Amino acid sequence: MLIRLIYNFVLVIICPFFLLSLYKTKKGKPEFGQRKLEHWGITPSISANTKPLWIHAVSVGEVIAAAPLIKAIKAAQPQQEIVVTTTTSTGAEQVAKLGDLVEHRYMPLDFSFAVKGFIRAIQPSQLLIMETELWPNTLRIVAKSNIDITVVNARLSDKSYRSYKRIQPLFNQIHPCISSILCQSKEDAARFASLGIPTSKLSVTGSIKFDITVPQHNAQTSPQFGERPVWIAASTHQGEDEIALRAHQALLKALPEALLIIVPRHPERFDSVNKLCSDYGMNVVRRTTDQPVSLSHHVYLADTMGELLDMLACAHICFMGGSLVGKKVGGHNMLESAAVGTPVISGPSYYNFFEIVDKMQRDNLITIVNNEQDLATEIKRYFTSNHPNSMISDRLRQFVATHSGAIKKSLEHIQLDKNSGLRK
């Protein structure tokens, strides 16, 4: 009880700062509008006869990971109603791309009254949490409402493990609320077990990130770059765009016809990255202008959401962002590049994908660079050394295919019930 009181006190203190950050207006960021009330549990009900399945995916990355699982569930049980909650408005925008497959609601804040309001309105049959978004009050209220909780595609890095270990007394109160945890790897399962979760609740189903559906190439909508050397800086964060542009400046001295595709991670940075390219003396063309790309263009700014796979398929080699900005991000999903057969380079900070990178390194399927100079050198070396791209492309695609199947394994732990939706 004391631990819960302390937690709620801290929650009240930090909540205003969290909301200021969440609601801060930024260029390209969707507005919450009146839907801010949903964060307080004032949620529109679902007009469905059956209790919906509740899937929580905090933001864009988790929604993308959840999408193939959602499609698999709907394929197996078309009548199953699904409600997807996100915390962010960019996550909500990504959910909208799923169309009529799901309903979207914003996740209630971790106050008991807000969670209770959401449950009264939605009356879910079960909660699936993507990856590891564990809120104490939410888990407790959901469990007390006799709603099973399954953590899907669960991962627990060393950093997160140490963080939970520091609050072990609080974690001891919330983990009994969880019905089962479907882990990405044996290492993740071992870390959860070390935190006191019974092994009977732990299963290793693999990473859903491997279950990537590569869209068919559409010549009418895909950008056309001709035969010129093209590389991509994908999911970049502030500071990495500058690194990529300096690497491109060095490449242009050897290959003046080279093109860089930049895909900023966050849409609110599209305009600032566009200006940055101009500041570096680059002739830039933006995806949203639908302007033809000519040899005079040095940079192609992918200022849209949900087209990363298409952009990766257009490039000869990829630098995956979030990995050269210190330790605060921990990298992004290099499997998207591998799935389309594009060789990938990562910086040294990839702890969010440690097991995946470890597997790729053992098969010589990824290059790790330690700093900006190494990146520039590697990009230039790739294009000037007649690298056998087709051979490594086939190996990358095969690597992803070999490790896929996590969705099928996850569904084996979640039984479909025609009368009441998904039940354990």
Side-chain angles (χ1 to χ4, degrees):
M1 179 63 73
L2 178 60
I3 293 171
R4 194 184 307 160
L5 288 172
I6 294 172
Y7 170 77
N8 286 327
F9 175 76
V10 173
L11 185 64
V12 169
I13 298 298
I14 67 173
C15 186
F17 300 99
F18 171 75
L19 291 177
L20 281 174
S21 175
L22 187 65
Y23 297 150
K24 185 177 180 180
T25 302
K26 295 180 182 179
K27 184 75 173 179
K29 177 183 175 182
E31 294 289 334
F32 286 92
Q34 292 299 314
R35 293 192 65 190
K36 291 177 183 177
L37 294 174
E38 292 178 32
H39 285 131
W40 300 98
I42 303 173
T43 302
S45 60
I46 300 295
S47 56
N49 294 325
T50 59
K51 292 184 176 181
L53 170 67
W54 173 15
I55 299 177
H56 178 57
V58 60
S59 194
V60 175
E62 291 78 11
V63 174
I64 291 173
L69 177 64
I70 290 168
K71 292 174 182 177
I73 291 170
K74 293 294 284 189
Q77 184 50 263
Q79 300 305 314
Q80 174 62 57
E81 296 288 337
I82 299 176
V83 174
V84 178
T85 55
T86 66
T87 302
T88 68
S89 58
T90 50
E93 188 176 52
Q94 190 67 36
V95 173
K97 295 178 182 180
L98 292 169
D100 295 336
L101 289 178
V102 300
E103 291 267 1
H104 175 266
R105 298 291 184 270
Y106 282 113
M107 181 71 174
L109 295 167
D110 197 37
F111 292 105
S112 297
F113 69 87
V115 179
K116 289 177 180 177
F118 176 88
I119 292 174
R120 281 196 300 269
I122 304 301
Q123 297 185 17
S125 61
Q126 184 181 168
L127 168 60
L128 303 185
I129 300 174
M130 294 304 299
E131 301 193 3
T132 316
E133 180 81 2
L134 306 179
W135 291 98
N137 286 332
T138 298
L139 295 178
R140 183 174 58 85
I141 297 300
V142 172
K144 284 183 66 176
S145 302
N146 295 317
I147 299 169
D148 283 353
I149 301 169
T150 301
V151 185
V152 182
N153 207 42
R155 63 176 304 275
L156 191 65
S157 65
D158 280 326
K159 180 180 178 182
S160 296
Y161 169 77
R162 291 192 296 270
S163 297
Y164 280 122
K165 199 68 178 175
R166 283 194 290 268
I167 57 169
Q168 185 74 59
L170 179 61
F171 191 79
N172 289 343
Q173 290 197 4
I174 64 175
H175 77 68
C177 301
I178 301 172
S179 306
S180 62
I181 301 180
L182 309 183
C183 303
Q184 293 187 22
S185 69
K186 293 179 181 179
E187 292 79 9
D188 293 314
R191 293 187 192 108
F192 279 116
S194 295
L195 288 172
I197 295 181
T199 55
S200 59
K201 290 186 177 184
L202 300 171
S203 300
V204 178
T205 52
S207 173
I208 288 177
K209 290 182 171 69
F210 279 98
D211 290 3
I212 299 172
T213 301
V214 178
Q216 290 185 342
H217 179 73
N218 189 327
Q220 293 182 335
T221 60
S222 297
Q224 304 297 307
F225 302 134
E227 300 299 320
R228 62 196 298 189
V230 180
W231 71 286
I232 183 171
S235 296
T236 56
H237 290 250
Q238 187 172 1
E240 288 179 321
D241 308 288
E242 294 89 338
I243 291 173
L245 288 168
R246 287 192 287 268
H248 196 52
Q249 284 178 328
L251 180 63
L252 287 171
K253 293 177 182 178
L255 297 170
E257 71 276 22
L259 179 73
L260 165 64
I261 303 172
I262 290 186
V263 188
R265 179 70 176 179
H266 301 108
E268 60 266 24
R269 295 184 54 247
F270 289 157
D271 287 344
S272 63
V273 173
N274 182 62
K275 181 178 182 301
L276 185 67
C277 293
S278 298
D279 292 343
Y280 270 78
M282 301 287 181
N283 188 5
V284 59
V285 58
R286 298 178 69 149
R287 169 67 167 160
T288 50
T289 64
D290 287 327
Q291 180 182 349
V293 183
S294 69
L295 285 173
S296 66
H297 291 119
H298 307 115
V299 177
Y300 186 85
L301 175 58
D303 56 346
T304 58
M305 298 292 288
E307 291 192 306
L308 180 57
L309 281 173
D310 290 326
M311 297 299 138
L312 287 166
C314 292
H316 297 105
I317 190 166
C318 164
F319 163 66
M320 186 54 66
S323 60
L324 271 177
V325 284
K327 298 181 179 180
K328 62 182 180 180
V329 179
H332 292 298
N333 190 6
M334 61 284 299
L335 290 174
E336 293 175 318
S337 184
V340 298
T342 301
V344 61
I345 300 170
S346 173
S349 179
Y350 51 80
Y351 57 80
N352 285 329
F353 298 88
F354 179 82
E355 290 83 5
I356 290 172
V357 172
D358 186 53
K359 289 184 176 74
M360 294 182 75
Q361 282 184 304
R362 282 184 298 217
D363 290 343
N364 294 317
L365 292 175
I366 191 169
T367 300
I368 306 299
V369 295
N370 293 314
N371 50 49
E372 175 181 337
Q373 292 72 27
D374 288 350
L375 174 63
T377 300
E378 184 61 29
I379 293 295
K380 184 177 179 181
R381 184 200 66 78
Y382 181 87
F383 284 115
T384 58
S385 64
N386 297 317
H387 200 283
N389 186 56
S390 60
M391 184 180 296
I392 192 171
S393 293
D394 291 341
R395 290 175 56 215
L396 284 164
R397 294 189 188 98
Q398 184 58 46
F399 173 79
V400 174
T402 299
H403 293 89
S404 64
I407 290 176
K408 181 180 179 181
K409 293 177 183 176
S410 297
L411 289 178
E412 289 173 357
H413 292 267
I414 306 170
Q415 296 180 359
L416 293 172
D417 186 319
K418 293 184 178 180
N419 295 318
S420 56
L422 288 174
R423 294 263 181 101
K424 290 295 289 182

